[in-house]
Amino acid sequence: EKKIRRIDSAKDKSRAREKDSERLKVEENVFDVPTLKILYTLSNKGVIKAMGGAISTGKEANVFYAEGPDKELAIKIYRIASSTFKAMDAYIMKDPRFTNIRNNKRDIIFAWTRKELQNLKRAKNAGVRVPEPILAEKNILIMEFMGEKEVSYPLLKNTHLENEEAKSIFDTIVEYMRLLYKKANLVHADLSEYNILIDPNNLTPIFIDMGQSVTLEHPNAREFLYRDVQNILRFFSRYGIKDKPEELFKKIQVE
Ligand code: ADP
Ligand code: MN
């Protein structure tokens, strides 16, 4: 009972933090009864010691800070009441790993959550720096928190870099894209300065948000890779990086 109160108070805390009324509605949506039950069970099992505040409210999911038994956690909760889940169809229905899921909203969201966990595992095994995936349960994904003192590492988008630092980060990003492609058999498919965190201690990139990542068998995999390449080059052009998208696209696949 004490634990569920802690989860409730986390809900209150995140409410108090958020004044924007549109967002308030979204936060009410996220903690539906089935979601609270899973959090309660995970809390009883000791996977979660305490829920913290909201880190992010996105289009389909909210991310919360939490304390685990031995490390800090990020808990991504896909909202069942999410209205944009239709967009998930194109990514998941053609993925050979997910051909048996039923075509309803809840099942698509649960499959999506499992897919994000699996994608993070494959990326990690390929040597790409990502948050360590811990578990997926229905619409809840638990992973390692990438940040310090309850504050997430900055998004690439929000960093101010010297040209040399940018070049080194760019090179690592390209190497990660190559490792994803060659070793994990994956394309991120939403790669941009919005889905890369920067560890300020060593300026290494961390790929996040891999729910939509697809295997190379997906009919649009190369198209998604090309788009990722374009996004990355668009961002880094401000730092004087002028690689040609066609060449980078080839380099990732060939080397
Ligand atoms: P969305 O689908 O809403 O874009 P993301 O997975 O990109 O979800 O996460 C949203 C935000 O939450 C990120 O921009 C980042 O600031 C934060 N975040 C996500 N995962 C983590 C993590 N493992 N550690 C710390 N912060 C995270
Ligand atoms: Mn994102």
Side-chain angles (χ1 to χ4, degrees):
E1 220 183 80
K2 204 171 179 189
K3 283 170 186 160
I4 204 124
R5 215 177 300 134
R6 293 185 81 169
I7 288 167
D8 284 344
S9 82
K11 182 180 168 183
D12 292 342
K13 235 193 273 169
S14 70
R15 267 194 193 143
R17 276 193 197 178
E18 196 49 76
K19 294 206 173 80
D20 176 356
S21 69
E22 189 47 37
R23 281 193 160 189
L24 244 174
K25 269 185 236 151
V26 166
E27 302 237 321
E28 267 171 23
N29 274 339
V30 73
F31 291 109
D32 55 16
V33 170
T35 301
L36 275 172
K37 276 192 178 156
I38 299 168
L39 290 174
Y40 180 62
T41 303
L42 291 173
S43 165
N44 275 338
K45 285 186 184 162
V47 178
I48 303 171
K49 277 178 62 194
M51 284 290 285
I55 297 174
S56 153
T57 305
K59 268 205 307 240
E60 284 109 16
N62 297 38
V63 181
F64 295 89
Y65 175 87
E67 273 173 41
D70 47 30
K71 62 176 134 195
E72 299 173 294
L73 306 173
I75 304 191
K76 187 169 183 178
I77 305 179
Y78 284 94
R79 294 186 301 276
I80 303 292
S82 167
S83 54
T84 53
F85 86 102
K86 265 278 159 204
M88 293 176 168
D89 271 22
Y91 292 88
I92 212 158
M93 290 309 180
K94 294 176 193 161
D95 189 315
R97 295 172 296 170
F98 295 91
T99 45
N100 293 325
I101 59 159
R102 276 176 294 148
N103 192 8
N104 73 58
K105 193 162 159 173
R106 287 166 54 87
D107 286 343
I108 292 173
I109 291 170
F110 298 166
W112 188 265
T113 310
R114 286 198 305 278
K115 180 157 96 102
E116 182 157 16
L117 182 89
Q118 289 180 15
N119 289 340
L120 288 170
K121 282 186 183 165
R122 291 169 77 132
K124 186 177 149 68
N125 290 339
V128 175
R129 189 160 180 216
V130 294
E132 189 195 330
I134 296 172
L135 67 85
E137 180 71 37
K138 303 275 175 66
N139 56 326
I140 299 176
L141 170 70
I142 303 191
M143 61 190 144
E144 174 189 9
F145 175 74
M146 308 306 290
E148 269 159 36
K149 298 190 176 129
E150 301 192 28
V151 179
S152 299
Y153 289 148
L155 287 173
L156 173 59
K157 169 188 173 283
N158 297 327
T159 52
H160 300 279
L161 304 166
E162 302 294 329
N163 280 2
E164 273 175 30
E165 296 170 334
K167 172 69 175 130
S168 141
I169 289 171
F170 171 77
D171 288 343
T172 309
I173 290 172
V174 171
E175 173 62 7
Y176 284 176
M177 291 171 87
R178 201 184 63 80
L179 287 171
L180 268 189
Y181 192 93
K182 286 281 168 187
K183 288 202 170 166
N185 210 43
L186 280 181
V187 171
H188 185 289
D190 192 19
L191 198 63
S192 76
E193 63 274 29
Y194 291 87
N195 282 327
I196 299 174
L197 302 178
I198 299 297
D199 180 342
N201 302 299
N202 49 19
L203 291 184
T204 54
I206 302 162
F207 284 11
I208 61 165
D209 203 359
M210 298 192 67
Q212 72 298 314
S213 303
V214 297
T215 58
L216 304 188
E217 290 79 31
H218 192 289
N220 306 106
R222 272 132 200 111
E223 181 193 318
F224 295 151
L225 177 63
Y226 195 75
R227 195 176 61 191
D228 286 352
V229 163
Q230 284 179 310
N231 285 339
I232 294 303
L233 285 174
R234 182 193 28 73
F235 178 79
F236 280 98
S237 65
R238 75 194 63 181
Y239 293 111
I241 289 167
K242 295 191 170 66
D243 296 27
K244 293 206 169 59
E246 315 80 57
E247 279 167 23
L248 188 53
F249 177 65
K250 249 188 242 154
K251 182 175 146 183
I252 288 167
Q253 298 173 84
V254 170
E255 267 176 30

